[in-house]
Amino acid sequence: MTEADLGALAAWTVSYPSAGRTLAGYLFVPEGEGPFPAMVVNHGSAGLRPNMRDVGEAFTAMRYAAFVPVRRGYHGNPGPNWRTHVSAADGSDAWGAQLVQALVEENDDVLAGCDWLASQPRIDGARIGITGTSFGGIMTLLAIGRTDRFRAAVNFAAAAMTWERAPALQDALLDAVRRTETSLMLIQAANDYSLAPTYALGAELAQRGKPHESRVYPPHGDGHGAGHALFTTGIATWRADVQAFLARWMGTA
């Protein structure tokens, strides 16, 4: 993916600091004076797609600001991409451990992005939620396991492509939901690569009596890849449910 691919997002470009680096991001803010509640929106392992604009605009239509922090090593941002840390054989125990460590380090950028977002004058820093898809869903879960500052979280398809072959990642995500006090919504399409993450994480949350909702929607498009892309290409499917969930837990009803 080239920088030119992100031309559809250029009008919303901002920057934020993290670990001594200046990283790019995109901030969508509703019309009006604010301050507005906001969502941190985490991209997946392949970085951004131009249709992330559709997600940003969906949240602004709900009257939330949407901040997409581009993490280290993506789209020309300084710092190592997670792939540089993962050198062991795919699916091995060492590979899983390396993957978790790389993602935890990358997650620092998400928390730094939240700090930056809360400091913006048109943002209500007391009402910030978090969401993301695929690796961005992993970022969402890791973040709520590390801090209680998020009012609500919506995870789309975290680890759907890696769950079965990375027990270390399973452990890290299950540990995150054990520690979190953030209300969490789990979302996947029925034709995603694997539904095991939603079932396992949902069961853990239910066992511990933590506030959560789970949604497995009917198949979206054709094939696993299309189902995995529900976050960006199936907004009409999830929007009403996500809006109701956020209204309840973000205090925006």
Side-chain angles (χ1 to χ4, degrees), residues 25-56:
Y26 299 91
L27 178 62
F28 300 79
V29 183
E31 294 292 331
E33 294 184 4
F36 296 101
M39 296 295 292
V40 175
V41 180
N42 297 302
H43 62 75
S45 63
L48 289 177
R49 296 288 186 263
N51 56 13
M52 189 63 85
R53 173 179 174 175
D54 298 333
V55 176

Side-chain angles (χ1 to χ4, degrees), residues 132-134 154-161 185-199 214-235 237-238 241:
T133 185
S134 193
V154 184
N155 158 40
F156 286 79
M161 299 176 70
M185 189 174 196
L186 304 167
I187 292 178
Q188 287 191 268
N191 58 329
D192 204 341
Y193 290 97
S194 171
L195 299 180
T198 289
Y199 294 144
S214 298
R215 294 282 187 278
V216 175
Y217 293 104
H220 175 68
D222 296 323
H224 296 313
H228 196 61
L230 179 71
F231 182 59
T232 53
T233 63
I235 294 169
T237 298
W238 55 258
D241 290 335

Side-chain angles (χ1 to χ4, degrees), residues 128 143-152 179-182:
I128 294 179
I144 64 172
R146 297 174 68 186
T147 179
D148 61 359
R149 69 181 308 171
F150 297 105
R151 292 282 292 271
R179 286 184 283 115
T180 191
E181 297 301 327
T182 301

Side-chain angles (χ1 to χ4, degrees), residues 88-253:
D90 191 310
S92 67
D93 289 345
W95 179 85
Q98 290 173 350
L99 179 63
V100 169
Q101 181 60 38
L103 293 176
V104 169
E105 292 179 11
E106 192 174 301
N107 195 243
D108 290 347
D109 296 340
V110 174
L111 299 185
C114 180
D115 290 340
W116 176 87
L117 179 62
S119 73
Q120 300 308 298
R122 297 178 66 198
I123 302 303
D124 181 351
R127 290 193 296 171
I128 294 179
I130 187 168
T131 188
T133 185
S134 193
F135 265 33
I138 293 173
M139 289 294 117
T140 297
L141 295 174
L142 292 176
I144 64 172
R146 297 174 68 186
T147 179
D148 61 359
R149 69 181 308 171
F150 297 105
R151 292 282 292 271
V154 184
N155 158 40
F156 286 79
M161 299 176 70
T162 51
W163 185 265
E164 281 81 5
R165 68 182 199 274
L169 183 59
Q170 295 178 29
D171 291 343
L173 298 184
L174 287 166
D175 184 59
V177 300
R178 291 182 190 113
R179 286 184 283 115
T180 191
E181 297 301 327
T182 301
S183 301
L184 175 61
M185 189 174 196
L186 304 167
I187 292 178
Q188 287 191 268
N191 58 329
D192 204 341
Y193 290 97
S194 171
L195 299 180
T198 289
Y199 294 144
L201 295 167
E204 188 69 30
L205 289 161
Q207 181 180 353
R208 294 173 180 272
K210 293 179 180 282
H212 72 286
E213 295 183 23
S214 298
R215 294 282 187 278
V216 175
Y217 293 104
H220 175 68
D222 296 323
H224 296 313
H228 196 61
L230 179 71
F231 182 59
T232 53
T233 63
I235 294 169
T237 298
W238 55 258
R239 175 175 167 168
D241 290 335
V242 168
Q243 186 169 6
F245 179 82
L246 293 178
R248 179 181 181 187
W249 295 106
M250 296 274 284
T252 54

Side-chain angles (χ1 to χ4, degrees), residues 15-24 76-78:
S15 62
Y16 70 101
S18 178
R21 306 180 178 100
T22 298
L23 303 179
N77 266 351

